[in-house]
């Protein structure tokens, strides 16, 4: 059982103003043991990526500290954030085990999803099986496929790492006006940490940056509140979602 | 389950159209009344289409963006008025090509409403999607046209599923 080195009082991660310093951002992003590998994978993104990640970290950290409520933290400068290009891949969470093993949860929006792994993940959350070939086609035809991978770097094996799919969400779009988010799922073993929230939030930001202004989805009644907390409104102005001869 | 584009069983849906005539108005009838059904964007004048959108209350959109949207649209159908050669009805659907599809931009020119053109376009669009094997067909309906979609077979909020839209202005804070 891993212990997480997360012990951050709410004052430690304030929302930083626009012109923060790079050095400061290191400390605020991840708890303790800053992995040099983190800098490697993020160094090309420059400061801006870290600014974005801080808010993700803040919301995840809040989610960890508060057991139930996942809190949305309003960024100091929304406009600035939307102007910064969202990196296609970055480390969302990092945990260090006393024996030296490092676990990272990596977000990617490049569509790097193994369809067999996805099938297994869908099984884990209890969704009915869908034909593999259709799953693969659906992914190919999706405008954006976001994924969460758990990467475990073992201490004694240099360069050897395990990578496991633990979350996915995808969006279809006409590339201009509308996008619809489908199939949001997180491995039950990793739920409750704010990962789903982070994934969807990042998707939204990417879509908005690509100037796709109408972001929609259909939510089961149980998760309407989850999406409301992310900024989605049910039935705006009385507009209703409708389905053709739905089978329940 | 619908939000994930899964139907709970995989049986082929029965086509709910009467067996004698597939559609409410046949292609032939439409043609005899002076309308041609089109299924591609060739010959579609986007400025004319944009005018129809604006006339029914859509915001005026950049024609280049409309072109981009149409190029990335799974299926579309429009009705051309023979005499004026203008589009008078339109609908399109986007999706992943296997599980889910959403219908957008359903419009009928105000001067040609009430004669079954909207229905004609919708019936054919749905059939095209079904033929591709897509069983999850959804759309977002303004309240005043719920009565247009219901007779076509659409159900709002089935099983408590809610359509949601992202709003930059509002964010619920706990």
């Amino acid at each position: 059982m891993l212990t997480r080195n997360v012990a951050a009082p709410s004052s430690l991660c304030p929302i930083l103003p626009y012109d923060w310093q790079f050095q400061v951002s290191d400390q605020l992003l991840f708890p303790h043991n800053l992995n040099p590998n983190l800098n490697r994978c993020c160094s090309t993104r420059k400061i801006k990526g870290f600014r974005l990640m801080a808010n993700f970290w803040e919301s995840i950290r809040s989610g960890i500290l508060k057991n139930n409520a996942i809190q949305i933290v309003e960024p100091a400068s929304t406009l600035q954030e939307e102007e910064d290009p969202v990196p296609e891949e970055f480390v969302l969470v990092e945990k260090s085990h006393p024996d030296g093993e490092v676990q990272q949860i990596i977000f990617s929006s490049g569509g790097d999803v193994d369809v067999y792994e996805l099938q297994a993940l869908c099984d884990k959350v209890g969704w009915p099986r869908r034909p593999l070939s259709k799953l693969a086609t659906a992914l190919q035809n999706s405008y954006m496929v976001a994924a969460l991978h758990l990467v475990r770097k073992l201490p004694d094996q240099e360069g050897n790492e395990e990578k496991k799919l633990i979350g996915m969400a995808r969006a279809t779009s006409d590339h201009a006006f509308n996008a619809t988010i489908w199939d949001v799922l997180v491995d039950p073993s990793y739920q409750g940490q704010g990962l789903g929230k982070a994934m969807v939030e990042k998707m939204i930001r990417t879509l908005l940056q690509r100037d796709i202004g109408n972001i929609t989805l259909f939510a089961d009644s149980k998760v309407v509140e989850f999406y409301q907390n992310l900024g989605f409104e049910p039935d705006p102005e009385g507009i209703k979602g409708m389905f053709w001869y739905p089978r329940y | 389950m619908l939000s994930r584009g899964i139907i709970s069983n995989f049986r082929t849906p029965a086509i709910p159209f009467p067996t004698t005539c597939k559609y409410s108005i046949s292609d032939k009838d439409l043609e005899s009344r002076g309308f041609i059904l089109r299924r591609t964007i060739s010959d579609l004048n986007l400025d004319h289409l944009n005018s129809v959108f604006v006339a029914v209350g859509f915001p005026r959109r950049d024609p280049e963006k409309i072109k981009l949207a149409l190029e990335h649209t799974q299926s579309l159908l429009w009705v051309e008025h023979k005499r004026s050669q203008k589009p008078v009805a339109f609908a399109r659907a986007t999706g992943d090509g296997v599980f889910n599809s959403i219908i957008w931009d359903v419009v009928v020119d105000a001067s040609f409403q009430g004669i079954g053109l909207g229905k004609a376009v919708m019936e054919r669009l749905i059939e095209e999607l079904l033929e591709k094997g897509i069983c999850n067909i959804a759309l977002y309906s303004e309240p005043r046209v719920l009565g247009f979609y219901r007779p076509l077979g659409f159900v709002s909020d089935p099983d408590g599923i809610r359509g949601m839209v992202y709003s930059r202005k509002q964010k619920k804070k706990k």
Side-chain angles (χ1 to χ4, degrees):
Chain A
M1 194 63 155
L2 291 174
T3 50
R4 275 183 254 149
N5 296 330
V6 180
S10 47
S11 58
L12 187 63
C13 266
I15 300 302
L16 296 168
Y18 167 59
D19 55 350
W20 69 354
Q21 298 298 315
F22 179 85
Q23 302 89 310
V24 175
S25 69
D26 278 3
Q27 296 164 9
L28 290 160
L29 279 172
F30 298 102
H32 314 292
N33 313 313
L34 185 66
N35 191 328
N37 291 333
L38 169 64
N39 285 324
R40 176 168 51 81
C41 89
C42 291
S43 58
T44 52
R45 323 270 193 244
K46 303 187 185 93
I47 303 167
K48 295 170 183 178
F50 283 99
R51 191 183 298 128
L52 187 64
M53 287 157 69
N55 284 302
F56 281 124
W57 172 241
E58 173 63 40
S59 24
I60 291 167
R61 192 192 51 76
S62 317
I64 293 166
L65 292 176
K66 297 165 185 159
N67 293 327
N68 307 320
I70 295 173
Q71 191 184 60
I72 295 247
V73 180
E74 196 69 52
S77 171
T78 318
L79 189 64
Q80 179 57 32
E81 218 144 281
E82 286 179 359
E83 285 171 8
D84 297 340
V86 180
E88 195 180 88
E89 186 175 294
F90 61 88
V91 179
L92 206 56
V93 182
E94 186 167 303
K95 305 171 208 169
S96 295
H97 194 267
D99 74 0
E101 177 182 319
V102 176
Q103 282 198 355
Q104 292 179 328
I105 296 178
I106 297 182
F107 176 97
S108 70
S109 57
D112 170 31
V113 173
D114 178 289
V115 73
Y116 291 99
E117 274 197 285
L118 178 59
Q119 175 93 280
L121 193 57
C122 293
D123 287 347
K124 260 189 152 180
V125 299
W127 289 359
R129 277 264 172 127
R130 295 182 280 185
L132 274 174
S133 54
K134 283 199 167 183
L135 263 180
T137 309
L139 292 178
Q140 274 162 32
N141 291 338
S142 295
Y143 178 68
M144 195 174 135
V145 178
L148 293 171
H149 284 95
L150 177 71
V151 175
R152 295 175 63 198
K153 298 182 189 191
L154 304 161
D156 48 350
Q157 298 166 40
E158 269 308 308
N160 206 6
E161 49 182 54
E162 289 175 14
K163 191 176 166 187
K164 184 171 85 167
L165 181 73
I166 59 166
M168 194 220 48
R170 64 187 179 98
T172 55
S173 172
D174 57 16
H175 299 220
F177 302 118
N178 311 306
T180 307
I181 298 176
W182 304 97
D183 294 351
V184 180
L185 78 165
V186 174
D187 186 315
S189 317
Y190 298 91
Q191 286 178 11
Q193 298 178 30
L195 293 173
K197 179 171 174 271
M199 208 170 31
V200 175
E201 226 171 34
K202 208 272 193 170
M203 280 186 94
I204 293 168
R205 254 165 242 215
T206 309
L207 291 166
L208 291 173
Q209 279 176 8
R210 294 183 193 177
D211 209 21
I212 295 170
N214 194 31
I215 303 170
T216 63
L217 54 85
F218 294 97
D220 287 342
S221 47
K222 285 176 279 190
V223 291
V224 168
E225 204 179 336
F226 170 79
Y227 289 107
Q228 272 179 309
N229 289 337
L230 281 162
F232 286 89
E233 198 185 328
D235 307 340
E237 291 171 21
I239 292 175
K240 298 297 252 170
M242 300 184 94
F243 287 85
W244 190 79
Y245 287 100
R247 253 160 277 261
Y248 297 49
Chain B
M1 287 300 180
L2 286 164
S3 59
R4 296 181 271 276
I6 304 166
I7 50 169
S8 41
N9 56 59
F10 288 106
R11 65 171 196 269
T12 319
I15 314 263
F17 305 120
T19 45
T20 45
C21 169
K22 219 161 39 160
Y23 305 119
S24 309
I25 311 176
S26 68
D27 290 18
K28 226 183 196 179
D29 274 341
L30 279 170
E31 206 172 329
S32 68
R33 292 179 206 189
F35 300 106
I36 309 173
L37 277 156
R38 309 291 221 106
R39 293 170 189 259
T40 66
I41 57 172
S42 56
D43 298 332
L44 173 56
N45 184 310
L46 294 181
D47 288 319
H48 290 163
L49 180 65
N50 214 359
S51 304
V52 180
F53 284 148
V54 170
V56 301
F58 288 24
R60 182 169 286 279
R61 298 180 287 190
D62 176 11
E64 279 306 308
K65 255 196 144 180
I66 295 179
K67 184 159 178 258
L68 186 65
L70 296 187
E71 282 164 0
H72 293 97
T73 289
Q74 244 178 20
S75 307
L76 61 87
L77 248 141
W78 56 287
V79 173
E80 182 182 338
H81 183 228
K82 259 198 239 176
R83 206 188 305 164
S84 64
Q85 292 186 312
K86 287 187 174 181
V88 291
F90 179 89
R92 65 183 179 106
T94 59
D96 56 26
V98 278
F99 300 127
N100 313 309
S101 205
I102 309 220
I103 298 176
W104 305 99
D105 296 344
V106 182
V107 292
V108 180
D109 185 304
S111 317
F112 297 89
Q113 288 178 6
I115 56 174
L117 292 181
K119 203 171 190 181
V121 155
M122 285 297 296
E123 284 175 346
R124 286 160 178 81
L125 187 62
I126 292 166
E127 213 218 345
E128 194 178 311
L129 295 169
L130 291 173
E131 274 172 3
K132 289 186 180 181
I134 297 163
C135 301
N136 196 28
I137 301 170
L139 53 83
Y140 294 89
S141 168
E142 284 180 36
R144 61 188 174 88
V145 287
L146 288 167
F148 167 74
Y149 292 112
R150 273 198 209 105
L152 289 164
F154 288 91
V155 177
S156 56
D157 298 351
D159 211 20
I161 292 174
R162 307 282 292 282
M164 301 184 85
V165 182
Y166 181 74
S167 162
R168 261 176 265 212
K169 282 163 273 177
Q170 76 132 43
K171 257 191 174 184
K172 188 172 161 188
K173 287 189 207 181
K174 273 195 174 168

